[in-house]
Amino acid sequence: MSTPSPAERYAAFRTSSTHPQLEAFRAGLGFDLDDFQRGSCASLEDGGSVLVAAPTGAGKTVVAEFAVYLAMQQSRAKVFYTTPMKALSNQKFNEFVDEYGASEVGLLTGDTNINSGARIVVMTTEVLRNMLYADSDLLTDLAFVVMDEVHFLGDRFRGAVWEEVIIHLPQRVRMVSLSATVSNAEEFGDWLQAVRGDTAVIVSEDRPVPLEQHVLVRTKLVDLFDSSGVITTIRVNPELVQLAASGGRSIQNRSTAGRRGRDRGGYHRPPPHEGRMPREDLVALLDGKHLLPAIFFIFSRVGCDQAVRQVLRSGIRLTDAAERSEIRRIAEERSRTMVDEDLAVLGYWEWLEGLERGVAAHHAGMLPAFKEVVEELFQKKLVKVVFATETLALGINMPARTVVMEKLEKFNGEARVPVTPGEYTQLTGRAGRRGIDVEGHSVIQWQQGLDPQAVASLASRRSYPLNSSFRPTYNMAVNLIEQFGRERARDILESSFAQFQADRAVVDLARTVRQQQESLAGYEEAMTCHLGDFREYASIRHQLSDLEKQGARADSQPQAARQKRQRELTKLRNRLKSHPCHACNEREAHSRWAERWYRLKRENDTLQQQIRARTGAVARIFDRVTDVLLRLDYLERDEHGRLGATSAGRMLRRIYGDRDLLAAEALRRGLWDSLEPAGLAAMACALVFEPRREESETVERYLPRGAFPEALEATQLLWSDLDDLERDSKLQGSSPIATGLCLAMYKWARGGRLTDVLKEADMAAGDFVRWTKQTIDLLDQLSVVADNPVARNARAAIDGVRRGIVAYSTVA
């Protein structure tokens, strides 16, 4: 290690004297902090909040760990660590247990409740939102909230929860917001400053491990960027450009057909997939170049599973005897509570074979327990190759030496779309293990038509914008009105990031409007006529022109309509000729200025309309939501005209999810009173289930029997009525109830075998478990807010559903 310079020694002295807790924390780490980490931690010790935006793997979580350290230095202070995913919550829970002991750490993920009164509690963001609305006792002594992956705030489906938490957290609570590199971090930080007070914005765009980017052309790894050192600016590797021009074939691969050959030395242009290196050969190539472990991103679950089978068929083995023994021990330990019948259904033995040979898949269709084992083995360097969908890039700590991207486009459920710069950054951010690798590597597989310049542009753009997806919901409206009253609630919503961004845009629009109005005034002066009002004259000309254009397109109209239009044309022509300005010698010059004025005036009117639409947009939606709740008697006015929740509204306060109003109204009307526990589980599933866009919805002949069809029909009619009411109120409405998983959930709740239920569901085990846990979450809410018999049946339904692979967790 080199001797610190005088300047570095002085900086260290200043840190130790002004931030003693940071220095004590750093001393226990065993490694030095980067500048952005040191600056972020210093801001926390100074008493502020902090937003840290940095690339994947840069070490943002060190800042969160320092917040935990600060809290634990106090006698009673608590810290909540929120994450967007249960898997990430489980991971952080285990890390904190290792650091601080099981007695000090809790976990709350909706379906898991461990030591909730602990001083360090890891939870999903939705759990914290619900605690804030319920004014939970667990908020007492809360000092810090860490919002990991806060850029999820832009998520179309769940992003609003992040804003709700940020707005409603007590002001005494300091926030540590950790984000991927976003291009508008300063704007987001300005909003945090506005709603939370003192917030430092720390942005780092430096990867801790440099990324070497390559394109695999046939059997050769070619650098994406020029590394000759001849130029100082980044440019595409000329060799790659040449290969692209030749269809992926180098000069040495030119055809040598005889004189009568058709191409006479031209290039053979292969079909799109001809010449692509087989996956097993690419794995062997990476292994030979010491570029494992690697993650292959394949934007298809089926593709991931097929890739594993393909590599295993080649006989490849990436592990030694000791590693295979350790892999088997861990896999058997994690699955010991599962019965052999279920293991067989889940393909356990084939999965284990792949693990023992160092190869695995990772995607949302896998059983969560299997995914957790893959993650653990990869982190332990026992599994060397993982074929994964892009969900792996979201937060889970699984860095690799190399990331391989087979394609730069993916299917989004409707069409094949290009990978965005933000997605590319997120995916390649997994390449390079801090403290292990000197550099990380990304490999893009060549395919016909690949444009090196486009790839370079994608690879060099490191960030993407964070945009709010916030919209007021029924549950949110009732909670806000009950806690703060309608006017204060509107003010709170006006402080959302959504409105902040709209207002920022309004500022820019207003500036443009003012500039255009200055130009309009100049145009108006230029078209001024000494004989009369030229704006009036120009208006007549415009009306005449528009009517003539209509006439040219209306030959097929009835004769009466054509005669009426002709009379109007004659009238306008007479007005034009009799107008004083018609006699002006400079009439055409004035007309040219008038035409510019009219074009700019239309544009200016459009901008002003946009301003009116954006100003107060969030509050207007809130007002429409409030009106619906008033019409349905979830809100009422007191003798002074103030709004408050009715008994039904107080029930709605404790129902969370996209179907909050539908569930509350069904309970009020007793639509589910006749359902037995399994039927209620099927109904709850219908409310939470969303089929994948490429899947068709199952028809009603596959529904459970008994009381369920009648209850479902009543619920669907209710949904239709509510949807009409919402659309009449200029609200977005909702999608129809999806019944595709009802029968499978019904059979599972009645004790059905896993193999039969998965066959009925026609979905992967991981998907079934995910929807089952969301069903349990809604049933849990019903068990609290509903009266008997629904509450009693909801509790029984939870017991029937939470069994087997659904009950399994490596955390509990």
Side-chain angles (χ1 to χ4, degrees), residues 245-398:
S246 65
R249 296 212 170 205
S250 65
I251 281 291
Q252 289 78 9
N253 289 338
R254 292 183 65 139
S255 167
T256 55
R259 289 186 215 174
R260 300 192 183 192
R262 293 187 177 178
D263 57 8
R264 296 178 62 89
Y267 296 103
H268 289 303
R269 295 196 178 272
H273 299 292
E274 183 185 322
R276 285 181 63 127
M277 179 178 281
R279 290 183 177 118
E280 62 270 25
D281 292 347
L282 178 50
V283 169
L285 174 69
L286 296 178
D287 191 25
K289 291 181 177 291
H290 305 291
L291 294 179
L292 297 182
I295 299 172
F296 284 63
F297 282 111
I298 301 175
F299 303 114
S300 157
R301 301 174 179 186
V302 173
C304 291
D305 293 334
Q306 288 176 341
V308 171
R309 289 194 291 270
Q310 178 184 346
V311 171
L312 294 181
R313 278 198 304 268
S314 72
I316 205 164
R317 190 181 297 279
L318 303 171
T319 54
D320 59 31
E323 289 172 328
R324 290 193 290 275
S325 176
E326 178 67 3
I327 288 169
R328 178 175 286 273
R329 185 192 66 79
I330 291 173
E332 291 178 347
E333 171 68 19
R334 300 294 182 268
S335 57
R336 69 184 186 283
T337 60
M338 298 188 196
V339 298
D340 286 348
E341 180 186 4
D342 287 354
L343 290 176
V345 172
L346 297 168
Y348 171 81
W349 310 110
E350 297 83 356
W351 173 72
L352 180 58
E353 181 195 0
L355 293 180
E356 289 184 326
R357 289 164 61 179
V359 181
H362 188 289
H363 56 73
M366 293 172 61
L367 189 69
F370 284 14
K371 283 198 299 180
E372 291 164 12
V373 171
V374 172
E375 292 159 12
E376 180 179 355
L377 294 177
F378 195 80
Q379 291 162 12
K380 292 178 180 293
K381 309 183 190 69
L382 295 171
V383 164
K384 313 300 171 72
V385 173
V386 169
F387 295 96
T389 56
E390 69 267 34
T391 54
L392 178 59
L394 302 176
I396 299 297
N397 180 26
M398 277 185 66

Side-chain angles (χ1 to χ4, degrees), residues 49 101 110 162 208 342 358 476 506 543 575 583 619 669 682 705 711 744 779:
S49 296
W162 274 255
D342 287 354
M476 184 194 304
V506 163
Q543 293 176 57
R575 283 184 61 196
R669 300 187 185 192
R705 297 179 181 177
L779 288 170

Side-chain angles (χ1 to χ4, degrees), residues 25 37 58-66 81 92 95 148 178:
F25 172 74
Q37 295 169 324
K60 295 185 292 288
T61 54
V62 168
V63 183
E65 289 161 6
F66 181 62
Y81 193 111
K92 297 308 300 183
E95 290 175 8
D148 202 353
L178 308 180

Side-chain angles (χ1 to χ4, degrees), residues 4 28 55 75 184 222 272 340 345 362 430 435 549 571 654 701:
S75 59
N184 58 337
V222 182
D340 286 348
V345 172
H362 188 289
R430 289 284 158 211
K549 290 176 182 175
K571 182 179 177 181
R654 295 180 291 173
R701 67 174 180 271

Side-chain angles (χ1 to χ4, degrees), residues 97-174:
V97 166
D98 291 342
E99 178 72 18
Y100 292 99
S103 63
E104 298 285 8
V105 187
L107 178 66
L108 294 172
T109 61
D111 58 349
T112 302
N113 185 332
I114 301 173
N115 200 16
S116 61
R119 292 184 57 195
I120 306 167
V121 185
V122 183
M123 62 186 69
T124 52
T125 315
E126 282 84 355
V127 169
L128 178 54
R129 185 271 310 272
N130 299 353
M131 289 170 61
L132 288 167
Y133 281 150
D135 196 22
S136 170
D137 292 340
L138 296 175
L139 297 168
T140 304
D141 297 320
L142 182 61
F144 292 94
V145 165
V146 176
M147 301 202 77
D148 202 353
E149 308 284 336
V150 74
H151 51 274
F152 262 73
L153 181 144
D155 183 80
R156 186 160 58 98
F157 301 104
R158 298 173 56 206
V161 176
W162 274 255
E163 288 192 51
E164 290 179 77
V165 168
I166 292 168
I167 291 170
H168 295 308
L169 265 180
Q171 287 295 316
R172 71 174 189 279
V173 179
R174 286 185 279 162

